[in-house]
DNA sequence: ATATGTGAATTCATTCACAGCT
DNA sequence: AGCTGTGAATGAATTCACATAT
């Protein structure tokens, strides 16, 4: 294991991908996997997987590979995924509602347990069994519940205001769906979900001429 | 400008963020911005912005900074954002429907113009003015329309199959919402939207003890 | 006075390659 | 024979720092 030093964030970001692939392997009944097998499944080199894992311990067996379930458990442990995390969701418009009704978070250890919005007509109503509070109640309610994780699904213009309230509420991890870079103190983590940015960074590589048929029809033929 | 060489993908991925911030500045009526002002808005260093831009040209004025609208236009041009891109969407379950009804893509130059699903009860129906085709028709329909961009919003188990069909249809950019790493040839780009992975990579930094209140109540008190 | 664009320096990340273990 | 874990080497990305322009 490399030191006790702090581990590069880029390594931490890959661990969920390793975990995901390992859990698929486990569900297929595979018991052992080598770094090269795992690597080819997720498009990274064997050396990178070994290096990444070496930050945390020696999880493999020479000549053999890694025990799938054991390695999965280790990674889940490293990432603190062995517990259910309560999550505050701010913004219950179209996107926020889609997030609430999406089952995928709860399965994976993230349960939305507090809802906030600014629309007076929504305050006090219930959604998915949870009362909706006003933004202004974020600090009190979130602190009371001891939450550390939040999801922001508000328009760009409200996002920084909401993030400031979450920071005041001692939230330390924010998943941000708003199309804006929010400012947080150094002890707060954020990750952005930015599908438009992802698309825009791919069109760089595309041939604008190829997009012809669509342009000729000006979007109305289909 | 640094050579004519190929530009690091990590630079390309930052351009949409610069563009986004510039368009907010433009809408605020700001006409000029320095690399350090722009950098502090989006949390990167001034040097990085200058270095990134230098791959493409000399867009600034010494002593002055960058003209906001001019720089925005340049970046939009680099990223091929001056045209509307037709997009194929595969999977019209909960997530796919949310994507269709989300207006944010069209505004930003990505218009969903072809829909595909595998559910026989959906084939032939209409959604948002577009006919729903079966997966098997992806190659023919997508080629006919000359599309280069696709969004995958199907379950993990179908994602690779769908991606193979998109590749056969000459799609070169895939935005993947399925929780799986898909395999594509080197001339096809993919970006993954992985909110669960993003959350899981943040809990690494959190204090599992803090999450106490929520655990004590076992998620049922709220 | 202020801010760019970029060589040079530095830091960070990945890959090589192999000793050592099963 | 096969695969890990890791020093050493390489490669990539970021930052420094300054000549140059306004």
């Amino acid at each position: 294991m490399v030191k006790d030093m702090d581990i590069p964030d880029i390594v931490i970001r890959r661990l969920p991908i390793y975990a995901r692939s390992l859990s698929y392997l486990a569900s297929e009944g595979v018991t052992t996997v080598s770094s090269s097998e795992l690597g080819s499944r997720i498009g990274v080199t064997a050396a990178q997987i070994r290096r990444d894992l070496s930050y945390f311990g020696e999880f493999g067996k020479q000549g053999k590979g890694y025990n799938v379930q054991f390695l999965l458990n280790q990674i889940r442990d490293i990432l603190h995924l062995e517990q259910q995390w309560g999550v505050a969701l701010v913004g219950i418009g179209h996107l926020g509602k889609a997030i609430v009704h999406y089952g995928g978070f709860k399965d994976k250890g993230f349960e939305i347990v507090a809802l906030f919005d600014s629309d007076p007509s929504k305050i006090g109503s219930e959604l998915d069994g949870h009362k909706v509070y006003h933004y202004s109640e974020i600090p009190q309610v979130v602190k009371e519940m001891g939450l550390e994780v939040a999801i922001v699904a508000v328009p760009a213009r409200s996002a920084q205001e909401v993030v400031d309230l979450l920071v005041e509420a001692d939230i330390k991890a924010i998943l941000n769906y708003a199309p804006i870079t929010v400012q947080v103190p150094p002890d707060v983590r954020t990750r952005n979900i930015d599908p438009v940015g992802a698309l825009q960074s791919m069109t760089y590589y595309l041939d604008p001429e190829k997009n012809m048929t669509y342009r000729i029809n000006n979007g109305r033929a289909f």
Side-chain angles (χ1 to χ4, degrees), chain A residues 2-71:
Chain A
V2 177
K3 303 284 163 33
D4 186 34
M5 260 306 288
D6 66 359
I7 289 140
D9 186 61
I10 196 161
V11 172
I12 303 300
R13 287 172 184 249
R14 279 192 291 263
L15 296 184
I17 300 173
Y18 299 165
R20 195 172 67 184
S21 190
L22 287 165
S23 73
Y24 288 134
L25 284 166
S27 73
E28 290 165 14
V30 177
T31 59
T32 294
V33 70
S34 67
S35 56
S36 54
E37 284 164 5
L38 185 57
S40 69
R41 288 208 170 219
I42 61 190
V44 304
T45 64
Q48 180 159 81
I49 290 176
R50 296 202 303 276
R51 170 71 67 204
D52 284 353
L53 295 176
S54 79
Y55 283 103
F56 304 98
E58 308 192 0
F59 303 133
K61 276 205 172 40
Q62 285 157 325
K64 195 85 190 302
Y66 300 88
N67 178 286
V68 170
Q69 192 59 58
F70 174 75
L71 181 56

Side-chain angles (χ1 to χ4, degrees), chain A residues 211-222:
Chain A
N211 195 35
M212 207 167 53
T213 308
Y214 171 67
R215 282 188 300 165
I216 287 170
N217 287 282
N218 197 24
R220 279 185 278 276
F222 311 124

